[in-house]
């Protein structure tokens, strides 16, 4: 099939960017979206042009590296699918596709479709861990954990940190990302001792990185390739409230 | 070159405990005076960097992804082995040790493997304490599943995302140390060379992948945890960025490369669909529990599968291996699939595929059970192929998956280059000629959490001199070489893209040094690779410049190393004139196609030493001696 692409091209963080049109002719419906971009890039290189830069690595929907917004939807039109797992059979001959980087102030564009998501690392550094020294852990089965708690923690832990939630949110909020990590750890007994500090620190780090507030539209959950539930945001809100109340009393 | 494995003396079961009690310690107050470079943030690298930081060392950790959380370890699905004996099915440290040695076709080092089995249980404790959400039973205890090559159930898992959860656990420990200031993280930074000063590894030269700046970092010791080299075949189940550069650069600076020909092929991957194919996707092996593998009996029979009557189908695994049937080990299943396809009986558009059919299982167990067991895998299959495997059989084909070879290391995980430590898939490790499922995650975390942090102390405690500054002439020299090389890539300005040449190399490697190898084919590859290499250096096109994000430049650098490394792999495969584990030489098979080892001549680790450009490398042999285990023929009939 033949497609028309409108792709965001931007040389670096400081350069202005713009949409540039390309013909993507003779595309096999069996290709993945990134393979389609590979083919377009091979042709650009052949013609002496610079290929479109985009982030990717595993190409199987788990590393969270790939990130592109297709016709306004982060990761494109298929539900629960990263852009590397999206296949061209979902498009049709003659389609016009606008391909842009994930847009959000805390994710500056560094080239074409690539953005800087290091703010996510800073959030995890602020509290997305259990403080346990290597070698000091108790025997694993000394602490039985109800199966449903373990399952809930796993539901939250499935987050791949791609940032689609932020890109989909009109406020560029990172609440779903933060909630996924805090809920994973706070649901498990191992994470309980640091529960309050964790939510306070992670939310503070999120604010500091310039992410916006959550106004409960849940666009985040709708585009999440791992379908992380917005219920975790409610859990984070509750835990945050409790932790802040405790903190203000402790302060007195 | 002298290869001394430094195996502690004494009985096998006491070696590690004795080693730990006798090892020299670094004074806690001195630890912060040492700087350690860890390249890689996968299970091996992240676990090591976090633990070393926690111990008080100054650590610099590097990865090429935009975040350490995205290392290739993230994509492991199945699980991680540990000798916990939670199922009370008779598992023990000894049994895990023995299974690993046997699975590796008696080509791994006894003492290392025993230690691996010993620390395995502690890994599960550590990860559980970090909040890794392992699967649990209703009683709240950890659940297990079975994996190939074992008669006990010792594999721990977190849905189909075990690697992800283990890596995120290690990443969280790493983040805690970054916050504490003991680890400095350098994402999007690629190591392009190793710096050796007075015979010791003392630093690296890197390229900032955003600004293009080339710079040096010096340290008291360097640890490489840079993963495997499966992408020398271009198409593999590995992430696109996986590369051999760090390990190969170390080889060219004097570190021995061990057993490069030991590669593992996974039988259940989704077949190639066209020449634009960029990666192969693994489908969990567990599918073979209920799926039946077949091809048409007749060559070129291209009727749809449903129209091929039962009598005209060849269930070749069941036919050839009646007792293991569809569950025959990875290498055997893979080769059998290749054989039937070579006979012209393969299925699918390319003819390189076999059916994995669930219709009998659905009749027997009902659709609901199959959906419950494999729903997510069927979904993944449909996402990629657009086909509904409940209605039509899946098509599968083997693909390159894992590499057992790597830089040679001693018991301390130190290479023959003092100061250079290697862990995870990057070392030649504990898997011999074949790795058992769920053992790579175990090894990466064992190396990173529980082995290197101790053994590196042995090197540091003996150090007389402090690390050199990056002003040292050797750093200047290597930096300059890296800059020249980068300029060279950009200046060739030929006609071919990096990918087109990588594909050519990959195809050759797959044909001549893939699932089955023979003398003639290997010699042919050894003759052809230099031709492709020359084509690269004359005719590659790398657009853009060096001072910016330039993905083509990154790819060119990696391919340049693969183009040399591929030849080394073939040389090693040619030297090893026997079949063992993942290395199958067609000349050495039994009448019914089983691999034939030659213990008398080939019970050694091959360690290759670089001799200079355009000179043949020299092979050194570390004999494999078993004190505890008896060598036997691996049989799965
Ligand atoms: C699809 C798939 C499924 C698997 N499933 C299982 C399983 O179920 N069980 C199991 O035990 N094993 C499994 N494996 C194998 C296992 O995942 C790997 O062997 C293991 O994770 C490797 O870990 P590592 O730490 O050695 O390296 P990796 O995780 O590959 O990490 C390498 C690190 O090095 C960095 N790096 C590489 N080169 C450079 C450079 N030049 N400069 C800077 N940084 C660099 C990368 O950025 C990365 O951080 C699977 C593998 C695949 C491909
Ligand atoms: S490339 Fe890994 S999730 Fe898409």
């Amino acid at each position: 099939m033949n497609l028309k692409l409108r792709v965001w091209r931007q040389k670096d963080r400081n350069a202005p960017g713009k949409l540039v049109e390309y013909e993507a002719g003779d595309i096999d419906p069996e290709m993945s979206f990134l393979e389609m971009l590979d083919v377009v890039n091979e042709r650009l290189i052949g013609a002496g042009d610079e290929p479109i830069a985009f982030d990717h690595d595993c190409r199987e929907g788990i590393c969270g590296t790939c990130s592109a917004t297709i016709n306004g939807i982060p990761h494109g039109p298929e539900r629960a699918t990263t852009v590397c797992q999206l296949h061209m059979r979902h498009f049709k001959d003659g389609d016009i596709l606008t391909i842009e980087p994930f847009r959000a102030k805390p994710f500056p564009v560094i080239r074409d479709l690539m953005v800087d998501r290091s703010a996510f690392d800073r959030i995890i550094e602020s509290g997305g861990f259990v403080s346990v020294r290597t070698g000091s852990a108790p025997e694993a089965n000394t602490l039985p954990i109800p199966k449903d708690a373990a399952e809930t923690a796993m539901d939250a832990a499935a987050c791949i940190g791609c940032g689609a939630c932020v890109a989909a949110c009109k406020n560029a909020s990172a609440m779903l990302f933060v909630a996924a990590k805090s809920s994973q750890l706070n649901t498990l007994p191992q994470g309980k001792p640091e529960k309050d500090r964790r939510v306070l620190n992670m939310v503070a780090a999120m604010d500091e990185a310039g992410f916006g507030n959550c106004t409960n539209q849940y666009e985040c959950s709708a585009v999440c390739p791992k379908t992380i539930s917005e219920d975790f945001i409610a859990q984070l809100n509750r835990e945050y409230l409790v932790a802040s109340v405790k903190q203000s009393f402790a302060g007195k | 070159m002298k290869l001394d494995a430094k195996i502690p003396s004494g009985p096998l079961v006491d070696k590690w405990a004795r080693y730990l009690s006798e090892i020299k310690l670094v004074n806690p107050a001195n630890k912060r005076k040492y700087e350690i470079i860890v390249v890689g943030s996968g299970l091996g690298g992240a676990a090591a960097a976090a633990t070393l930081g926690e111990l008080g060392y100054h650590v610099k950790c590097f990865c090429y992804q935009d975040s350490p959380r995205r290392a290739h370890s993230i994509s492991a699905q199945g699980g991680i082995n540990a000798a916990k004996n939670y199922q009370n099915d008779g598992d023990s440290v000894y049994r895990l040790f023995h299974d690993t040695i046997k699975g590796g076709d008696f080509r791994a080092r006894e003492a290392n493997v025993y230690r691996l089995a010993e620390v395995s249980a502690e890994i599960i404790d550590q990860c559980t304490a970090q909040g890794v959400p392992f699967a649990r039973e209703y009683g709240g205890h950890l659940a297990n599943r079975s994996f190939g090559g074992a008669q006990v159930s010792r594999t721990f898992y977190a849905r189909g995302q075990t690697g992800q959860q283990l890596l995120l656990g290690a990443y969280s420990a790493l983040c805690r140390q970054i916050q504490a200031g003991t680890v400095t993280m350098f994402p999007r930074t690629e190591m392009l060379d190793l710096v050796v000063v007075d015979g010791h590894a003392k630093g690296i030269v890197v390229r900032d992948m955003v600004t293009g700046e080339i710079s040096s970092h010096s340290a008291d010791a360097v640890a490489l945890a840079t993963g495997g080299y499966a992408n020398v075949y271009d198409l593999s189940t590995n992430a696109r960025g996986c590369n051999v550069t760090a390990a190969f650069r170390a080889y060219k600076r004097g570190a021995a490369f061990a057993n490069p020909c030991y590669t593992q092929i996974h039988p259940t991957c989704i077949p190639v669909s066209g020449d634009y194919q960029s990666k192969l996707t693994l489908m969990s092996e567990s599918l073979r529990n209920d799926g039946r593998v077949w091809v048409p009996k007749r060559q070129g029979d291209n009727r749809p599968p449903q129209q091929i009557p039962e009598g005209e189908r060849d269930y070749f695994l069941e036919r050839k291996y009646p007792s293991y049937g569809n569950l025959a080990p990875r290498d055997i299943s893979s080769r059998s699939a290749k054989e039937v396809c070579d006979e012209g009986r393969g299925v699918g558009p390319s003819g390189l595929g076999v059916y994995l059919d669930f219709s009998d299982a659905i009749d027997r167990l009902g659709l609901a059970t199959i959906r419950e067991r494999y729903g997510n895998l069927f979904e993944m299959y449909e996402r990629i192929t657009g086909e509904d495997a409940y209605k039509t059989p899946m098509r599968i084909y083997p693909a390159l998956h894992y590499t057992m070879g790597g830089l040679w290391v001693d018991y301390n995980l130190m290479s023959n280059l003092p100061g250079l430590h290697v862990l995870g898939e990057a070392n030649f490790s504990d898997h011999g000629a074949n790795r058992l499922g769920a053992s790579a995650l175990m090894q990466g975390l064992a190396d990173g959490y529980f082995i290197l942090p101790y053994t590196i102390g042995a090197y540091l405690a003996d150090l007389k001199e402090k690390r050199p500054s990056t002003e040292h002439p050797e750093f200047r020299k290597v930096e300059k070489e890296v800059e020249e090389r980068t300029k060279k890539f950009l200046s060739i300005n030929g006609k071919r893209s990096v990918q087109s040449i990588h594909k050519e190399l990959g195809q050759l490697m797959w044909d001549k040094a893939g699932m089955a190898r023979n003398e003639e084919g290997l010699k042919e590859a050894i003759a052809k690779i230099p031709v492709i290499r020359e084509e690269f250096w004359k005719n590659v096109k790398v657009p853009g410049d060096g001072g910016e994000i330039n993905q083509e430049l990154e790819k060119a650098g990696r391919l340049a190393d693969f183009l040399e490394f591929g030849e080394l792999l073939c040389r090693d495969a040619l030297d090893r004139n026997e079949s063992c584990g993942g290395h199958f030489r067609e000349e050495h098979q039994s009448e019914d196609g089983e691999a034939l080892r030659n213990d008398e001549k080939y019970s050694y680790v091959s360690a290759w030493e670089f001799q200079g450009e355009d000179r043949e490398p020299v092979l050194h042999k570390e004999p494999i001696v078993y004190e505890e285990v008896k060598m036997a023929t691996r049989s799965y009939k």
Side-chain angles (χ1 to χ4, degrees):
Chain A
M1 56 185 170
N2 299 311
L3 304 162
K4 197 183 281 295
L5 309 183
R6 299 170 66 227
V7 185
W8 186 261
R9 301 302 306 258
Q10 179 173 337
K11 196 164 171 53
D12 57 40
R13 195 184 285 255
N14 303 316
K18 62 171 192 293
L19 285 169
V20 178
E21 279 195 16
Y22 299 96
E23 299 293 332
D26 206 13
I27 295 300
D28 189 324
E30 294 304 307
M31 286 177 188
S32 73
F33 194 85
L34 298 188
E35 285 168 346
M36 182 275 292
L37 287 182
D38 290 340
V39 167
V40 170
N41 275 344
E42 287 290 298
R43 292 176 191 163
L44 287 175
I45 296 168
D49 290 329
E50 287 199 26
I52 302 158
F54 60 91
D55 263 324
H56 66 100
D57 205 19
C58 76
R59 296 203 175 193
E60 50 184 79
I62 191 73
C63 72
T65 309
C66 63
S67 53
T69 295
I70 305 167
N71 290 346
I73 308 171
H75 287 307
E78 280 294 291
R79 209 185 96 85
T81 304
T82 53
V83 62
C84 63
Q85 290 272 284
L86 176 67
H87 278 69
M88 296 313 292
R89 67 179 79 88
H90 299 295
F91 299 96
K92 46 182 203 310
D93 190 44
D95 275 356
I96 301 174
L97 306 182
T98 303
I99 310 171
E100 293 172 276
F102 279 1
R103 301 266 185 213
K105 215 170 94 245
F107 290 167
V109 175
I110 56 174
R111 190 181 180 93
D112 300 346
L113 305 177
M114 297 167 75
V115 297
D116 176 352
R117 288 170 289 193
S118 56
F120 269 10
D121 290 318
R122 293 196 294 279
I123 292 176
I124 302 296
E125 286 158 21
S126 74
F129 49 75
V130 173
S131 301
V132 51
R133 251 190 310 283
T134 303
S136 66
E139 208 292 324
N141 263 353
T142 50
L143 185 62
I145 297 174
K147 191 173 164 69
D148 52 355
E151 293 293 324
T152 305
M154 182 63 224
D155 288 342
C159 167
I160 58 173
C162 63
C165 46
V166 174
C169 175
K170 65 176 169 37
N171 309 320
S173 167
M175 275 299 268
L176 191 64
F177 172 77
V178 174
K181 185 46 73 182
S182 68
S183 301
Q184 174 204 343
L185 298 177
N186 293 354
T187 300
L188 295 170
Q190 290 87 339
K192 292 253 159 44
E194 292 169 291
K195 191 172 165 191
D196 296 341
R197 292 173 45 144
R198 178 174 300 117
V199 289
L200 293 173
N201 289 342
M202 288 178 79
V203 169
M206 171 177 83
D207 292 343
E208 194 177 320
F211 292 100
N213 291 327
C214 172
T215 48
N216 304 321
Q217 309 281 312
Y218 304 135
E219 292 294 337
C220 49
S221 211
V223 300
C224 174
K226 299 293 140 180
T227 58
I228 307 278
S229 161
E230 66 263 21
D231 293 350
F232 293 120
I233 295 182
Q235 180 177 344
L236 172 58
N237 281 328
R238 281 194 307 276
E239 288 170 353
Y240 184 79
L241 189 70
V242 171
S244 346
V245 170
K246 278 200 217 163
Q247 191 187 38
S248 56
F249 277 110
K252 284 187 186 140
Chain B
M1 174 187 295
K2 209 172 129 284
L3 296 177
D4 176 2
K6 305 215 178 91
I7 309 290
S9 59
L12 185 65
V13 298
D14 298 335
K15 283 184 199 290
W16 180 234
R18 269 213 8 219
Y19 174 98
L20 285 179
S21 57
E22 288 170 7
I23 197 176
K24 275 196 202 160
L25 294 180
V26 179
N27 177 326
N30 280 340
K31 282 196 180 123
R32 65 192 151 79
K33 295 186 192 149
Y34 289 112
E35 257 186 35
I36 300 174
I37 285 174
V38 177
V39 189
S41 65
L43 290 181
T51 305
L52 290 166
E54 204 174 85
L55 288 172
Y57 295 109
H58 265 285
V59 180
K60 287 179 172 178
C61 184
F62 299 80
C63 72
Y64 71 73
Q65 291 90 350
D66 68 330
S67 161
R69 67 178 286 149
R70 307 200 201 282
H72 166 63
S73 294
I74 200 104
S75 55
Q77 305 167 356
I80 177 167
N81 287 330
K84 279 285 198 188
N85 194 29
Y86 281 167
Q87 304 304 318
N88 196 23
D89 52 3
D91 199 11
S92 64
V93 167
Y94 191 88
R95 198 173 287 279
L96 173 54
F97 153 71
H98 195 272
D99 286 348
T100 308
I101 292 275
K102 178 182 170 204
D105 219 0
F106 303 92
R107 290 290 177 266
R109 221 189 252 153
E110 233 179 25
N112 287 55
V113 177
Y114 195 84
R115 173 177 65 185
L116 173 65
E118 261 183 298
V119 303
S120 67
E122 224 181 326
I123 297 174
I124 302 305
D125 301 339
Q126 184 65 31
C127 298
T128 303
Q130 288 169 344
V132 170
F134 283 123
R136 288 181 181 263
E137 295 166 355
Y138 282 106
H141 292 132
L142 294 172
N144 291 110
R145 57 164 62 138
S146 313
F147 242 70
Q151 287 165 315
V152 295
S153 192
R154 62 159 79 97
T155 305
F156 294 80
Y157 62 101
R159 292 199 190 138
Q161 290 127 277
T162 316
Q164 180 198 26
Q165 293 310 314
L166 295 174
L167 183 63
L168 294 182
Y171 161 75
S172 72
L174 180 64
C175 283
R176 181 168 158 252
Q177 293 309 313
I178 295 172
Q179 179 79 351
T182 62
V183 178
T184 312
M185 187 69 218
F186 296 84
R188 288 207 206 265
T189 308
E190 185 161 23
M191 165 181 167
L192 293 180
D193 220 326
L194 180 76
V195 182
V196 180
V197 178
D198 300 330
H200 287 241
K202 286 294 159 195
I204 59 174
V205 172
V206 299
R207 177 172 179 272
D208 180 320
M209 294 158 77
V210 178
T211 64
E213 190 199 351
I214 289 168
S215 65
S216 294
H217 295 265
S218 74
D220 296 285
V222 177
L224 300 187
T226 45
Y229 51 81
N231 282 347
V232 66
Y233 292 82
D234 184 26
L235 288 180
S236 81
T237 62
N238 286 20
R240 279 308 281 167
C242 291
N243 67 90
V244 77
T245 289
F248 197 71
R249 295 278 122 199
Y251 162 76
K252 291 186 94 170
R253 299 278 170 201
F257 209 108
N259 299 336
C261 81
Y262 289 163
T263 55
Q264 184 172 75
I265 287 167
H266 201 290
T268 51
C269 301
I270 300 178
V272 171
S273 68
D275 47 78
Y276 46 79
Q277 191 87 24
S278 63
K279 101 147 252 165
L280 296 170
T281 303
L282 179 89
M283 302 283 291
S284 166
E285 239 169 328
S286 62
L287 288 168
R288 293 198 283 147
N289 281 306
D290 287 306
R292 295 180 71 195
V293 176
W294 65 275
V295 290
K297 281 192 176 153
R298 188 161 53 80
Q299 252 186 24
D301 184 346
N302 47 21
R303 287 174 290 175
Q306 294 83 352
Q307 288 174 21
I308 301 181
E310 199 57 28
E312 292 176 41
R313 299 175 176 191
D314 178 13
Y315 294 90
F316 54 92
L317 287 177
E318 297 172 21
R319 172 171 58 78
K320 289 167 62 181
Y321 306 97
S323 63
Y324 272 73
N326 295 299
L327 285 173
R330 287 180 178 178
D331 50 339
I332 293 175
S333 313
S334 300
R335 276 199 306 277
S336 304
K338 175 179 167 11
E339 259 166 47
V340 296
C341 293
D342 288 350
E343 289 162 20
R345 299 193 286 138
V347 302
S350 63
L352 292 176
V354 300
Y355 289 127
L356 180 64
D357 195 334
F358 290 86
S359 49
D360 284 353
I362 292 173
D363 287 347
R364 187 162 37 94
L365 303 164
L367 193 67
T369 308
I370 296 300
R371 199 183 294 279
E372 185 193 88
R373 282 190 193 163
Y374 309 110
N376 58 341
L377 293 168
F378 278 55
E379 211 178 283
M380 178 163 104
Y381 183 79
E382 179 163 15
R383 203 191 296 282
I384 293 172
T385 63
E387 288 174 17
D388 178 355
Y390 295 106
K391 299 205 175 102
T392 186
M394 284 184 182
R395 285 176 294 112
I396 55 167
Y397 200 65
L400 227 292
H401 176 54
Y402 179 85
T403 56
M404 283 74 70
L407 291 175
W408 184 90
V409 288
D410 63 15
Y411 192 71
N412 296 316
L413 300 184
M414 189 160 88
S415 79
N416 58 302
L417 257 187
L420 179 69
H421 297 75
V422 192
L423 50 159
E425 195 174 333
N427 69 25
F428 86 105
S429 87
D430 306 340
H431 308 293
N434 176 50
R435 171 181 70 82
L436 290 183
S439 284
L441 302 181
M442 167 174 75
Q443 182 227 332
L445 290 180
D447 288 359
Y449 284 133
F450 296 112
I451 301 174
L452 183 81
Y454 299 108
T455 60
I456 205 169
Y459 171 75
L460 295 172
D462 273 342
L463 271 188
K464 303 275 178 305
E465 283 174 48
K466 229 180 124 48
R467 63 183 171 275
S469 97
T470 53
E471 295 305 315
H472 189 284
E474 197 54 34
F475 277 93
R476 287 282 97 100
K477 183 179 139 246
V478 177
E479 241 177 63
K480 193 134 201 291
E481 284 169 17
V482 170
E483 276 160 12
E484 294 294 320
R485 195 172 149 91
T486 306
K487 275 198 205 119
K488 173 85 189 162
F489 291 135
L490 292 161
S491 68
I492 299 168
N493 202 13
K495 296 231 153 14
R496 289 186 60 185
S497 70
V498 177
Q499 180 51 31
S500 77
I501 302 175
H502 198 161
K503 201 159 129 185
E504 192 179 336
L505 172 71
Q507 192 64 51
L508 181 68
M509 294 297 296
W510 180 244
D511 290 343
K512 307 294 173 194
M515 258 183 284
R517 302 153 176 187
N518 60 48
E519 182 179 338
E520 198 195 321
L522 289 166
K523 284 189 170 154
E524 197 185 316
I526 292 170
K528 271 194 187 157
I529 294 170
V531 180
I532 307 178
R533 201 156 59 218
E534 203 182 307
E535 167 75 0
F536 172 88
W537 285 105
K538 278 206 181 120
N539 201 18
V540 76
K541 165 107 194 170
V542 183
D545 68 64
E548 57 182 10
I549 293 179
N550 189 335
Q551 295 177 318
E552 290 301 309
L553 179 63
E554 295 158 16
K555 290 198 297 200
R558 294 171 194 160
L559 177 60
D561 290 325
F562 279 137
L563 281 166
E564 290 180 48
F565 173 74
E567 190 180 329
L568 184 69
L569 190 159
C570 293
R571 273 184 205 287
D572 187 45
L574 184 63
D575 169 74
R576 192 163 285 279
N577 195 11
E578 64 160 351
S579 294
C580 63
H583 170 64
F584 189 77
R585 282 284 298 263
E586 286 169 342
E587 301 94 323
H588 302 286
Q589 49 182 315
S590 64
E591 262 170 33
D592 41 13
E594 301 294 327
L596 286 182
R597 273 194 346 249
N598 181 345
D599 293 337
E600 218 164 292
K601 281 186 77 178
Y602 294 98
S603 293
Y604 59 76
V605 174
S606 308
W608 294 89
E609 184 187 8
F610 182 69
Q611 297 292 305
E613 305 294 342
D614 301 322
R615 290 182 56 193
E616 283 192 17
V618 167
L619 172 64
H620 300 269
K621 299 173 181 176
E622 179 201 333
I624 296 172
V625 188
Y626 289 117
E627 291 170 5
E628 194 69 35
V629 173
K630 282 220 168 33
M631 290 192 173
T633 309
R634 212 168 57 118
S635 170
Y636 293 95
K637 282 227 151 179

